[in-house]
Amino acid sequence: MHRKISLIVSLSSALSAMLLCVSASAQTDSGLPPILRDIPQSGSMCKIERPPGATQSGGERVGDGLESVCALPTSGARAFLQQSGATVIDTRHESDFLQFQIANAIRLDAASVRLKTYLRNKPLLLVGDGKSDRELYGACGQLRAQGFKSVQVLMGGMAGYIAKGLPMSGSGAPDAFEAARLDPAQLWAQSLFPEGMVIAVNSPASAALLPLALRVADAAPQAVAGAVERRRKGQKSVLANVTVVFDGALSEAMFRQYSQAVAPTPLLVYTDGAAALKGFLRSQEAAWAAHARGPKQPRCG
């Protein structure tokens, strides 16, 4: 009897350890902000190794540029919608979708598209909010590899679509300026997007917090246009968007000038200042540190 009890206790302990490992893995996939999901797990968590050439969350190969075949400029949206069988897949949150959307769009997350076999032979356009669309480009490549014949991503998402004044359904759409504005978390995510470009316009305090941002002392739209053009010439892959970081008030008229200066690349703007960005980064330090350490639990494997 004593042996049976010992065996049951041992099996119970082993099962508990396995469940803890599974729970930790699930937590890293769904319980963290998107900008933290690609940080490798470590410490006592169930570590996920990424071999050379593997993909990050969303399917984009590490270090690879965006495929031009997946990028549809907003200038091509009308022509796309006129195609026979053209289908718009709106990947935004349902609450945003209910407020406004492209006519006849389907609300569906990108990961679920592959399960809809009836969409395989239709021209598909993946549409996000324009501020966190990196994963959509990865999904586009994956769907094409899985046999979907025509898949593209609307560059600039709904923010770019609104800026072009294209027709929509619903009455809750913001104006172009509001649709293009980023909060600190969205700015940080954009700064980690290799195929995007962040330009700090006369904003040394914010630029100091964004190591990859390009500093431009001249706030004139022509100076920003010149920086973007140099980037286009030096980069073979698609330039997905341009983010202008501007410390202080930015008028809607100035926003339109910047938008025209970087066209046809979609424009995003950040105007909340360095203090808000610094506050966001400080609030994330504890999360990053805890994620690096991992919870105290038995090692997996």
Side-chain angles (χ1 to χ4, degrees):
M1 177 64 70
H2 180 70
R3 285 186 176 182
K4 288 183 179 180
I5 293 174
S6 299
L7 179 59
I8 291 173
V9 171
S10 299
L11 290 173
S12 176
S13 299
L15 180 58
S16 297
M18 291 172 65
L19 290 174
L20 282 170
C21 291
V22 172
S23 175
S25 179
Q27 178 186 359
T28 57
D29 286 339
S30 59
L32 291 169
I35 62 173
L36 299 180
R37 290 178 187 163
D38 288 334
I39 299 177
Q41 302 165 25
S42 59
S44 59
M45 298 179 72
C46 309
K47 190 173 182 180
I48 299 175
E49 300 291 346
R50 180 180 294 133
T55 60
Q56 297 187 13
S57 61
E60 182 185 345
R61 291 181 65 83
V62 178
D64 288 355
L66 301 181
E67 296 183 53
S68 59
V69 70
C70 278
L72 178 71
T74 49
S75 59
R78 287 186 186 274
F80 172 87
L81 295 173
Q82 292 172 358
Q83 295 181 78
S84 176
T87 303
V88 175
I89 307 296
D90 193 322
T91 65
R92 296 175 301 147
H93 192 277
E94 186 174 4
S95 61
D96 296 324
F97 175 79
L98 292 175
Q99 292 183 51
F100 62 95
Q101 68 286 138
I102 299 173
N104 301 317
I106 299 173
R107 221 301 300 175
L108 193 67
D109 63 271
S112 298
V113 176
R114 63 185 180 84
L115 304 176
K116 311 298 182 181
T117 55
Y118 66 90
L119 295 175
R120 282 183 174 270
N121 294 320
K122 294 180 179 292
L124 303 182
L125 183 62
L126 306 181
V127 180
D129 61 7
K131 302 174 183 180
S132 53
D133 290 350
R134 179 180 185 179
E135 291 189 357
L136 292 187
Y137 290 99
C140 173
Q142 287 182 337
L143 290 170
R144 284 177 172 270
Q146 291 165 2
F148 286 77
K149 291 187 176 180
S150 177
V151 187
Q152 291 178 290
V153 176
L154 181 63
M155 294 180 66
M158 287 304 297
Y161 192 88
I162 292 170
K164 285 292 183 182
L166 296 170
M168 290 181 294
S169 297
S171 57
D175 59 38
F177 187 23
E178 188 61 32
R181 297 182 69 164
L182 302 176
D183 62 29
Q186 292 167 334
L187 172 62
W188 180 251
Q190 284 297 323
S191 74
L192 302 178
F193 185 17
E195 279 69 41
M197 182 179 185
V198 177
I199 302 177
V201 178
N202 199 21
S203 306
S206 293
L209 301 171
L210 302 167
L212 300 181
L214 176 67
R215 301 187 185 193
V216 176
D218 189 349
Q222 294 83 356
V224 173
V228 172
E229 186 59 29
R230 289 189 293 274
R231 171 67 179 272
R232 289 195 187 111
K233 291 180 178 179
Q235 176 176 308
K236 295 181 180 179
S237 61
V238 174
L239 181 58
N241 54 45
V242 172
T243 298
V244 168
V245 178
F246 195 92
D247 286 352
L250 180 68
S251 68
E252 189 169 348
M254 196 64 173
F255 165 75
R256 288 196 296 269
Q257 291 181 38
Y258 281 135
S259 184
Q260 293 172 1
V262 305
T265 305
L267 176 69
L268 299 170
V269 293
Y270 175 79
T271 60
D272 286 352
L277 178 58
K278 185 179 294 185
F280 164 75
L281 293 176
R282 283 178 175 170
S283 71
Q284 293 303 303
E285 287 178 357
W288 287 330
H291 185 61
R293 290 193 303 270
K296 295 181 178 179
Q297 60 186 42
R299 293 182 180 272
C300 296

Coordinates of all heavy atoms in Angstrom, one line a residue, residues 74-164:
T74 N -2.6 52.2 -51.0 CA -4.0 52.6 -50.9 C -4.5 53.1 -52.3 O -5.7 53.1 -52.5 CB -4.2 53.7 -49.8 OG1 -3.2 54.7 -50.1 CG2 -4.0 53.2 -48.4
S75 N -3.6 53.6 -53.1 CA -3.9 54.0 -54.4 C -4.5 52.9 -55.3 O -5.2 53.1 -56.3 CB -2.8 54.7 -55.1 OG -1.7 53.7 -55.3
G76 N -4.2 51.6 -54.9 CA -4.7 50.5 -55.7 C -6.0 49.9 -55.1 O -6.5 48.9 -55.6
A77 N -6.5 50.5 -54.0 CA -7.6 49.9 -53.3 C -8.9 49.9 -54.1 O -9.6 48.8 -54.2 CB -7.9 50.6 -52.0
R78 N -9.2 50.9 -54.9 CA -10.4 51.0 -55.7 C -10.3 49.9 -56.8 O -11.3 49.2 -57.0 CB -10.5 52.3 -56.4 CG -10.9 53.5 -55.4 CD -11.2 54.7 -56.2 NE -11.5 55.9 -55.4 CZ -12.7 56.2 -54.9 NH1 -13.7 55.4 -55.2 NH2 -12.8 57.3 -54.2
A79 N -9.2 49.8 -57.4 CA -9.1 48.7 -58.5 C -9.2 47.3 -57.9 O -9.8 46.5 -58.5 CB -7.7 48.9 -59.2
F80 N -8.7 47.1 -56.7 CA -8.8 45.8 -56.1 C -10.3 45.5 -55.8 O -10.8 44.4 -56.1 CB -8.1 45.7 -54.8 CG -8.3 44.5 -54.0 CD1 -7.6 43.4 -54.2 CD2 -9.4 44.4 -53.0 CE1 -7.9 42.2 -53.5 CE2 -9.7 43.3 -52.4 CZ -8.9 42.1 -52.6
L81 N -11.0 46.4 -55.3 CA -12.4 46.2 -54.9 C -13.3 45.9 -56.1 O -14.4 45.4 -56.0 CB -13.0 47.4 -54.1 CG -12.3 47.6 -52.8 CD1 -12.8 48.9 -52.1 CD2 -12.6 46.4 -51.8
Q82 N -12.9 46.4 -57.3 CA -13.6 46.2 -58.5 C -13.4 44.8 -59.2 O -14.1 44.4 -60.1 CB -13.3 47.3 -59.6 CG -13.8 48.6 -59.1 CD -13.3 49.7 -60.0 OE1 -12.5 49.5 -60.9 NE2 -13.7 51.0 -59.7
Q83 N -12.5 44.0 -58.6 CA -12.2 42.7 -59.1 C -13.4 41.7 -58.8 O -14.0 41.9 -57.8 CB -10.9 42.1 -58.5 CG -9.7 42.8 -58.9 CD -8.5 42.1 -58.2 OE1 -8.0 41.1 -58.7 NE2 -8.0 42.7 -57.2
S84 N -13.5 40.8 -59.7 CA -14.6 39.7 -59.4 C -14.1 38.9 -58.2 O -13.0 38.3 -58.2 CB -14.7 38.8 -60.7 OG -15.6 37.8 -60.4
G85 N -15.0 38.8 -57.2 CA -14.7 38.0 -56.1 C -13.8 38.6 -55.0 O -13.5 38.0 -54.1
A86 N -13.5 39.9 -55.2 CA -12.6 40.6 -54.3 C -13.2 40.5 -52.9 O -14.3 40.8 -52.7 CB -12.4 42.0 -54.7
T87 N -12.3 40.1 -51.9 CA -12.8 39.9 -50.5 C -11.9 40.7 -49.6 O -10.6 40.5 -49.6 CB -12.8 38.4 -50.1 OG1 -13.7 37.8 -51.1 CG2 -13.4 38.3 -48.7
V88 N -12.4 41.6 -48.8 CA -11.7 42.3 -47.8 C -11.8 41.6 -46.4 O -12.9 41.4 -45.9 CB -12.2 43.8 -47.6 CG1 -11.4 44.5 -46.5 CG2 -12.0 44.5 -49.0
I89 N -10.6 41.2 -45.9 CA -10.6 40.6 -44.5 C -10.1 41.7 -43.5 O -9.0 42.1 -43.5 CB -9.6 39.4 -44.5 CG1 -9.9 38.4 -45.6 CG2 -9.6 38.8 -43.1 CD1 -11.3 37.8 -45.5
D90 N -11.1 42.1 -42.7 CA -10.8 43.2 -41.7 C -10.3 42.5 -40.4 O -11.1 41.8 -39.8 CB -12.0 44.0 -41.5 CG -11.7 45.3 -40.7 OD1 -10.9 45.3 -39.8 OD2 -12.3 46.3 -41.0
T91 N -9.1 42.7 -40.1 CA -8.5 42.0 -38.9 C -8.5 42.8 -37.6 O -8.0 42.4 -36.6 CB -7.0 41.6 -39.2 OG1 -6.2 42.8 -39.3 CG2 -6.9 40.8 -40.5
R92 N -9.1 44.0 -37.6 CA -9.2 44.8 -36.4 C -10.1 44.2 -35.4 O -10.9 43.2 -35.7 CB -9.7 46.2 -36.8 CG -8.8 47.0 -37.7 CD -9.4 48.3 -38.1 NE -10.7 48.1 -38.8 CZ -11.7 48.9 -38.7 NH1 -11.7 50.0 -38.0 NH2 -12.9 48.6 -39.4
H93 N -10.1 44.8 -34.2 CA -10.9 44.3 -33.1 C -12.4 44.5 -33.6 O -12.7 45.5 -34.3 CB -10.6 45.1 -31.9 CG -11.3 44.5 -30.6 ND1 -12.6 44.8 -30.3 CD2 -10.8 43.7 -29.7 CE1 -12.9 44.2 -29.2 NE2 -11.9 43.5 -28.8
E94 N -13.3 43.7 -33.1 CA -14.7 43.7 -33.5 C -15.3 45.0 -33.2 O -16.2 45.5 -33.9 CB -15.4 42.6 -32.8 CG -16.9 42.5 -33.3 CD -17.6 41.2 -32.8 OE1 -17.0 40.5 -32.0 OE2 -18.7 41.0 -33.2
S95 N -15.0 45.6 -32.0 CA -15.6 46.9 -31.7 C -15.2 48.0 -32.7 O -16.1 48.9 -33.0 CB -15.1 47.3 -30.3 OG -13.7 47.5 -30.2
D96 N -14.0 48.0 -33.2 CA -13.6 49.0 -34.2 C -14.3 48.7 -35.5 O -14.7 49.6 -36.2 CB -12.1 48.9 -34.4 CG -11.3 49.3 -33.2 OD1 -11.8 50.3 -32.5 OD2 -10.2 48.8 -32.9
F97 N -14.4 47.4 -35.8 CA -15.1 47.0 -37.1 C -16.5 47.4 -37.1 O -17.0 47.9 -38.1 CB -15.0 45.5 -37.2 CG -15.7 44.9 -38.4 CD1 -15.2 45.0 -39.7 CD2 -17.0 44.3 -38.3 CE1 -15.9 44.5 -40.8 CE2 -17.7 43.8 -39.3 CZ -17.1 43.9 -40.6
L98 N -17.2 47.3 -36.0 CA -18.6 47.7 -35.9 C -18.8 49.2 -36.1 O -19.9 49.6 -36.5 CB -19.2 47.2 -34.6 CG -19.3 45.7 -34.4 CD1 -19.8 45.4 -33.0 CD2 -20.3 45.1 -35.4
Q99 N -17.8 50.0 -35.8 CA -18.0 51.4 -35.9 C -17.9 51.9 -37.4 O -18.6 52.7 -37.9 CB -16.9 52.2 -35.1 CG -17.1 52.0 -33.6 CD -16.1 52.8 -32.8 OE1 -15.8 54.0 -33.1 NE2 -15.4 52.2 -31.9
F100 N -16.9 51.3 -38.1 CA -16.7 51.6 -39.5 C -15.9 50.5 -40.2 O -15.1 49.9 -39.5 CB -16.0 53.0 -39.7 CG -14.6 53.1 -39.1 CD1 -13.5 52.8 -39.9 CD2 -14.4 53.3 -37.7 CE1 -12.2 52.9 -39.3 CE2 -13.2 53.4 -37.2 CZ -12.1 53.2 -38.0
Q101 N -16.1 50.4 -41.5 CA -15.4 49.3 -42.2 C -15.6 49.6 -43.7 O -16.4 50.4 -44.1 CB -15.9 47.9 -41.8 CG -17.4 47.6 -42.3 CD -18.4 48.3 -41.5 OE1 -19.4 48.8 -42.1 NE2 -18.3 48.3 -40.2
I102 N -14.7 48.9 -44.5 CA -14.9 48.9 -45.9 C -16.1 48.1 -46.2 O -16.4 47.0 -45.6 CB -13.7 48.3 -46.6 CG1 -12.4 49.2 -46.3 CG2 -13.8 48.2 -48.1 CD1 -11.1 48.6 -46.8
A103 N -16.9 48.5 -47.2 CA -18.2 47.9 -47.5 C -18.0 46.4 -47.8 O -17.0 46.1 -48.6 CB -18.9 48.6 -48.7
N104 N -18.8 45.5 -47.2 CA -18.8 44.1 -47.5 C -17.6 43.4 -46.9 O -17.3 42.2 -47.3 CB -19.0 43.8 -49.0 CG -20.3 44.4 -49.5 OD1 -21.3 44.3 -48.9 ND2 -20.2 45.0 -50.7
A105 N -16.8 44.1 -46.1 CA -15.6 43.4 -45.5 C -16.1 42.3 -44.5 O -17.2 42.4 -43.9 CB -14.8 44.4 -44.8
I106 N -15.2 41.3 -44.4 CA -15.4 40.2 -43.4 C -14.5 40.4 -42.2 O -13.3 40.6 -42.4 CB -15.1 38.8 -44.1 CG1 -16.0 38.6 -45.3 CG2 -15.2 37.7 -43.0 CD1 -15.6 37.3 -46.0
R107 N -15.1 40.4 -41.0 CA -14.3 40.5 -39.8 C -13.7 39.2 -39.4 O -14.4 38.2 -39.1 CB -15.2 41.0 -38.6 CG -14.6 42.1 -37.8 CD -13.3 41.7 -37.1 NE -13.5 40.6 -36.2 CZ -12.5 40.0 -35.5 NH1 -11.2 40.5 -35.7 NH2 -12.6 39.0 -34.8
L108 N -12.4 39.1 -39.5 CA -11.8 37.8 -39.3 C -10.3 38.0 -38.9 O -9.6 38.8 -39.6 CB -11.9 36.9 -40.5 CG -11.6 35.4 -40.5 CD1 -12.6 34.7 -39.6 CD2 -11.6 34.8 -41.9
D109 N -9.8 37.3 -37.9 CA -8.4 37.5 -37.6 C -7.6 36.7 -38.7 O -8.0 35.7 -39.2 CB -8.0 37.0 -36.2 CG -8.3 35.5 -36.0 OD1 -9.4 35.2 -35.7 OD2 -7.4 34.7 -36.3
A110 N -6.3 37.2 -38.9 CA -5.5 36.6 -40.0 C -5.2 35.2 -39.9 O -5.2 34.4 -40.8 CB -4.2 37.4 -40.1
A111 N -5.1 34.7 -38.6 CA -4.7 33.3 -38.4 C -5.9 32.4 -38.8 O -5.6 31.2 -39.1 CB -4.4 33.1 -36.9
S112 N -7.1 32.9 -38.8 CA -8.3 32.0 -39.1 C -8.5 31.9 -40.6 O -9.3 31.1 -41.0 CB -9.5 32.6 -38.4 OG -9.3 32.5 -37.0
V113 N -7.9 32.8 -41.4 CA -8.2 32.8 -42.8 C -7.8 31.5 -43.4 O -8.5 31.0 -44.3 CB -7.4 33.9 -43.5 CG1 -7.6 33.9 -45.0 CG2 -7.9 35.3 -43.0
R114 N -6.7 30.9 -43.0 CA -6.3 29.6 -43.6 C -7.3 28.5 -43.4 O -7.3 27.5 -44.2 CB -5.0 29.2 -43.0 CG -5.0 28.9 -41.5 CD -3.7 28.5 -40.9 NE -3.7 28.3 -39.5 CZ -4.0 27.1 -39.0 NH1 -4.3 26.0 -39.8 NH2 -4.0 26.9 -37.7
L115 N -8.2 28.6 -42.5 CA -9.2 27.6 -42.3 C -10.4 27.8 -43.2 O -11.2 26.8 -43.3 CB -9.7 27.6 -40.8 CG -8.7 27.5 -39.7 CD1 -9.3 27.6 -38.3 CD2 -7.9 26.1 -39.8
K116 N -10.5 28.9 -43.9 CA -11.6 29.2 -44.8 C -11.3 28.8 -46.2 O -10.8 29.6 -47.0 CB -12.0 30.7 -44.7 CG -12.2 31.2 -43.3 CD -13.3 30.5 -42.5 CE -13.5 31.1 -41.2 NZ -14.6 30.4 -40.4
T117 N -11.4 27.5 -46.5 CA -11.0 27.0 -47.8 C -11.7 27.6 -48.9 O -11.2 27.7 -50.1 CB -11.1 25.5 -47.8 OG1 -12.5 25.1 -47.5 CG2 -10.2 24.8 -46.8
Y118 N -12.9 28.1 -48.7 CA -13.7 28.7 -49.8 C -13.1 30.0 -50.3 O -13.4 30.6 -51.3 CB -15.1 28.9 -49.4 CG -15.3 30.0 -48.3 CD1 -15.5 31.3 -48.5 CD2 -15.3 29.6 -46.9 CE1 -15.7 32.2 -47.5 CE2 -15.5 30.5 -45.9 CZ -15.7 31.8 -46.2 OH -15.8 32.7 -45.2
L119 N -12.1 30.6 -49.5 CA -11.4 31.8 -49.9 C -10.2 31.6 -50.7 O -9.5 32.6 -51.2 CB -11.0 32.6 -48.6 CG -12.2 33.1 -47.7 CD1 -11.7 33.8 -46.5 CD2 -13.1 34.1 -48.5
R120 N -9.8 30.4 -50.9 CA -8.5 30.1 -51.5 C -8.3 30.7 -52.9 O -7.2 31.1 -53.3 CB -8.2 28.5 -51.6 CG -7.8 27.9 -50.3 CD -7.5 26.4 -50.4 NE -7.0 25.9 -49.2 CZ -5.7 25.8 -48.9 NH1 -4.8 26.3 -49.8 NH2 -5.3 25.3 -47.8
N121 N -9.4 30.7 -53.7 CA -9.3 31.2 -55.1 C -9.8 32.6 -55.3 O -9.9 33.1 -56.4 CB -10.1 30.2 -56.0 CG -9.4 28.8 -56.0 OD1 -8.2 28.7 -56.1 ND2 -10.3 27.8 -56.0
K122 N -10.1 33.3 -54.2 CA -10.5 34.7 -54.3 C -9.4 35.6 -54.0 O -8.5 35.3 -53.3 CB -11.6 34.9 -53.2 CG -12.9 34.1 -53.4 CD -13.9 34.4 -52.4 CE -15.2 33.7 -52.6 NZ -16.0 34.1 -53.8
P123 N -9.5 36.8 -54.6 CA -8.5 37.9 -54.3 C -8.8 38.4 -52.9 O -9.9 38.8 -52.6 CB -8.8 39.0 -55.4 CG -9.6 38.3 -56.4 CD -10.4 37.2 -55.7
L124 N -7.8 38.3 -52.0 CA -7.9 38.6 -50.6 C -7.1 39.9 -50.3 O -6.0 40.0 -50.7 CB -7.6 37.5 -49.7 CG -8.3 36.1 -49.9 CD1 -7.7 35.1 -48.8 CD2 -9.8 36.3 -49.8
L125 N -7.7 40.8 -49.5 CA -7.0 41.9 -49.0 C -7.1 42.0 -47.5 O -8.2 42.1 -46.9 CB -7.6 43.2 -49.6 CG -6.9 44.5 -49.2 CD1 -5.5 44.5 -49.8 CD2 -7.7 45.7 -49.8
L126 N -6.0 41.8 -46.8 CA -5.9 41.9 -45.3 C -5.8 43.3 -44.9 O -4.9 44.0 -45.4 CB -4.7 41.1 -44.8 CG -4.6 39.6 -45.3 CD1 -3.4 38.9 -44.7 CD2 -5.9 38.8 -45.0
V127 N -6.7 43.7 -44.0 CA -6.7 45.1 -43.6 C -6.6 45.2 -42.1 O -7.4 44.6 -41.4 CB -8.0 45.8 -44.1 CG1 -8.0 47.3 -43.6 CG2 -8.1 45.8 -45.6
G128 N -5.7 45.9 -41.6 CA -5.5 46.1 -40.1 C -5.8 47.6 -39.8 O -6.4 48.4 -40.6
D129 N -5.3 48.0 -38.6 CA -5.5 49.4 -38.3 C -4.5 50.4 -38.8 O -4.5 51.6 -38.7 CB -5.6 49.6 -36.7 CG -4.4 49.2 -36.0 OD1 -3.4 48.8 -36.7 OD2 -4.4 49.1 -34.8
G130 N -3.4 49.8 -39.4 CA -2.3 50.5 -40.0 C -1.2 50.8 -39.0 O -0.2 51.4 -39.3
K131 N -1.4 50.5 -37.7 CA -0.5 50.8 -36.6 C 0.3 49.6 -36.1 O 1.3 49.7 -35.4 CB -1.2 51.5 -35.5 CG -1.9 52.8 -35.9 CD -2.7 53.4 -34.8 CE -3.5 54.6 -35.2 NZ -4.3 55.2 -34.1
S132 N -0.2 48.4 -36.4 CA 0.4 47.2 -35.9 C 0.2 46.1 -36.9 O -0.3 45.0 -36.6 CB -0.3 46.8 -34.6 OG -1.7 46.7 -34.7
D133 N 0.6 46.4 -38.2 CA 0.3 45.5 -39.3 C 1.5 44.6 -39.6 O 1.4 43.8 -40.6 CB -0.1 46.3 -40.5 CG -1.5 46.9 -40.3 OD1 -2.2 46.6 -39.4 OD2 -1.8 47.8 -41.2
R134 N 2.5 44.6 -38.8 CA 3.7 43.7 -39.2 C 3.3 42.3 -39.4 O 3.7 41.6 -40.3 CB 4.7 43.9 -38.1 CG 6.0 43.0 -38.4 CD 7.0 43.2 -37.3 NE 8.2 42.4 -37.6 CZ 9.3 42.4 -36.8 NH1 9.3 43.1 -35.7 NH2 10.3 41.7 -37.2
E135 N 2.4 41.8 -38.5 CA 2.1 40.3 -38.5 C 1.2 40.0 -39.8 O 1.2 38.9 -40.2 CB 1.3 40.0 -37.2 CG 2.2 40.0 -36.0 CD 1.5 39.4 -34.8 OE1 0.3 39.0 -34.9 OE2 2.1 39.2 -33.7
L136 N 0.5 41.0 -40.3 CA -0.3 40.8 -41.5 C 0.6 40.4 -42.7 O 0.2 39.6 -43.5 CB -1.1 42.0 -41.8 CG -2.3 42.3 -40.8 CD1 -3.1 43.4 -41.4 CD2 -3.1 41.1 -40.5
Y137 N 1.8 41.1 -42.8 CA 2.7 40.8 -43.9 C 3.2 39.3 -43.8 O 3.3 38.6 -44.8 CB 3.8 41.8 -43.9 CG 3.4 43.2 -44.4 CD1 3.2 44.1 -43.4 CD2 3.2 43.5 -45.7 CE1 2.8 45.4 -43.8 CE2 2.8 44.8 -46.1 CZ 2.6 45.7 -45.1 OH 2.2 47.0 -45.5
G138 N 3.5 38.9 -42.6 CA 3.9 37.5 -42.3 C 2.7 36.6 -42.7 O 3.0 35.5 -43.3
A139 N 1.5 36.9 -42.3 CA 0.3 36.1 -42.6 C 0.1 36.0 -44.1 O -0.2 34.9 -44.6 CB -0.9 36.6 -41.9
C140 N 0.4 37.1 -44.8 CA 0.2 37.1 -46.3 C 1.2 36.1 -46.9 O 0.7 35.2 -47.7 CB 0.5 38.5 -46.8 SG 0.6 38.6 -48.6
G141 N 2.4 36.1 -46.5 CA 3.4 35.1 -47.0 C 3.0 33.7 -46.7 O 3.1 32.8 -47.5
Q142 N 2.5 33.4 -45.5 CA 2.1 32.1 -45.1 C 0.9 31.6 -45.9 O 0.9 30.5 -46.4 CB 1.7 32.1 -43.6 CG 2.9 32.2 -42.7 CD 2.5 32.1 -41.2 OE1 1.4 32.4 -40.9 NE2 3.4 31.8 -40.4
L143 N -0.1 32.5 -46.1 CA -1.3 32.1 -46.9 C -0.9 31.8 -48.3 O -1.4 30.8 -48.9 CB -2.3 33.2 -46.8 CG -3.0 33.4 -45.4 CD1 -3.8 34.6 -45.4 CD2 -3.9 32.2 -45.1
R144 N 0.0 32.5 -48.9 CA 0.4 32.3 -50.3 C 1.1 30.9 -50.3 O 0.9 30.1 -51.3 CB 1.3 33.4 -50.8 CG 0.6 34.7 -51.1 CD 1.5 35.8 -51.6 NE 0.8 36.9 -52.1 CZ 0.5 37.1 -53.4 NH1 0.8 36.2 -54.3 NH2 -0.1 38.2 -53.7
A145 N 1.9 30.6 -49.3 CA 2.6 29.4 -49.3 C 1.7 28.2 -49.1 O 2.0 27.0 -49.5 CB 3.7 29.4 -48.2
Q146 N 0.5 28.4 -48.5 CA -0.4 27.4 -48.2 C -1.5 27.2 -49.4 O -2.4 26.4 -49.2 CB -1.2 27.7 -46.9 CG -0.2 27.5 -45.7 CD -0.8 28.2 -44.4 OE1 -1.9 28.7 -44.4 NE2 -0.1 28.1 -43.4
G147 N -1.2 27.9 -50.5 CA -2.1 27.7 -51.6 C -3.1 28.7 -51.9 O -3.9 28.6 -52.9
F148 N -3.2 29.8 -51.1 CA -4.1 30.9 -51.4 C -3.5 31.7 -52.6 O -2.4 32.2 -52.5 CB -4.3 31.8 -50.2 CG -5.2 31.2 -49.1 CD1 -4.7 30.2 -48.3 CD2 -6.5 31.6 -49.0 CE1 -5.5 29.6 -47.3 CE2 -7.3 31.0 -48.0 CZ -6.8 30.0 -47.2
K149 N -4.3 31.8 -53.6 CA -3.7 32.3 -54.9 C -3.4 33.8 -54.9 O -2.5 34.2 -55.6 CB -4.7 31.9 -56.0 CG -4.7 30.4 -56.3 CD -5.6 30.1 -57.5 CE -5.5 28.6 -57.8 NZ -6.3 28.3 -59.1
S150 N -4.2 34.6 -54.2 CA -4.0 36.1 -54.3 C -4.3 36.7 -53.0 O -5.5 36.8 -52.5 CB -4.9 36.7 -55.4 OG -4.8 38.1 -55.4
V151 N -3.2 37.1 -52.3 CA -3.4 37.7 -50.9 C -2.5 38.9 -50.9 O -1.3 38.9 -51.3 CB -2.9 36.7 -49.8 CG1 -3.2 37.4 -48.4 CG2 -3.6 35.4 -50.0
Q152 N -3.0 40.0 -50.4 CA -2.3 41.3 -50.2 C -2.7 41.9 -48.9 O -3.7 41.6 -48.3 CB -2.6 42.2 -51.4 CG -2.0 41.8 -52.7 CD -2.3 42.7 -53.9 OE1 -3.5 42.8 -54.3 NE2 -1.3 43.4 -54.4
V153 N -1.8 42.8 -48.5 CA -2.1 43.6 -47.3 C -2.2 45.1 -47.7 O -1.4 45.6 -48.5 CB -0.9 43.5 -46.3 CG1 -1.1 44.4 -45.1 CG2 -0.7 42.1 -45.9
L154 N -3.3 45.7 -47.2 CA -3.5 47.1 -47.5 C -2.5 48.0 -46.7 O -2.5 48.0 -45.5 CB -4.9 47.6 -47.2 CG -5.2 49.0 -47.5 CD1 -5.2 49.3 -49.0 CD2 -6.6 49.4 -47.0
M155 N -1.5 48.6 -47.4 CA -0.5 49.4 -46.8 C -1.2 50.6 -46.0 O -2.0 51.3 -46.6 CB 0.5 50.0 -47.8 CG 1.3 48.9 -48.4 SD 2.5 49.5 -49.6 CE 3.6 50.5 -48.6
G156 N -0.8 50.8 -44.8 CA -1.4 51.8 -44.0 C -2.7 51.5 -43.3 O -3.3 52.2 -42.5
G157 N -3.3 50.3 -43.7 CA -4.5 49.8 -43.1 C -5.7 50.8 -43.2 O -5.7 51.6 -44.1
M158 N -6.5 50.8 -42.2 CA -7.7 51.7 -42.2 C -7.3 53.2 -42.0 O -7.9 54.1 -42.5 CB -8.7 51.3 -41.1 CG -9.5 50.1 -41.4 SD -10.4 50.1 -43.0 CE -11.5 51.4 -42.7
A159 N -6.1 53.4 -41.3 CA -5.6 54.8 -41.2 C -5.3 55.3 -42.6 O -5.7 56.5 -42.9 CB -4.4 54.8 -40.3
G160 N -4.6 54.5 -43.4 CA -4.3 55.0 -44.7 C -5.5 55.1 -45.6 O -5.6 56.0 -46.5
Y161 N -6.5 54.2 -45.4 CA -7.7 54.2 -46.2 C -8.5 55.5 -45.9 O -9.0 56.1 -46.8 CB -8.5 53.0 -45.9 CG -9.7 52.7 -46.8 CD1 -9.5 51.9 -47.9 CD2 -10.9 53.1 -46.5 CE1 -10.6 51.6 -48.8 CE2 -12.0 52.9 -47.3 CZ -11.8 52.1 -48.5 OH -12.9 51.8 -49.3
I162 N -8.6 55.8 -44.6 CA -9.3 57.1 -44.2 C -8.6 58.3 -44.8 O -9.3 59.2 -45.3 CB -9.4 57.1 -42.7 CG1 -10.3 56.1 -42.2 CG2 -9.9 58.5 -42.3 CD1 -10.3 55.9 -40.7
A163 N -7.3 58.3 -44.8 CA -6.5 59.4 -45.3 C -6.8 59.7 -46.7 O -6.7 60.8 -47.2 CB -5.0 59.2 -45.0
K164 N -7.0 58.6 -47.5 CA -7.3 58.8 -48.9 C -8.7 59.2 -49.2 O -9.1 59.4 -50.4 CB -7.0 57.4 -49.6 CG -5.5 57.1 -49.8 CD -4.9 58.1 -50.8 CE -3.4 57.8 -51.0 NZ -2.8 58.7 -52.0

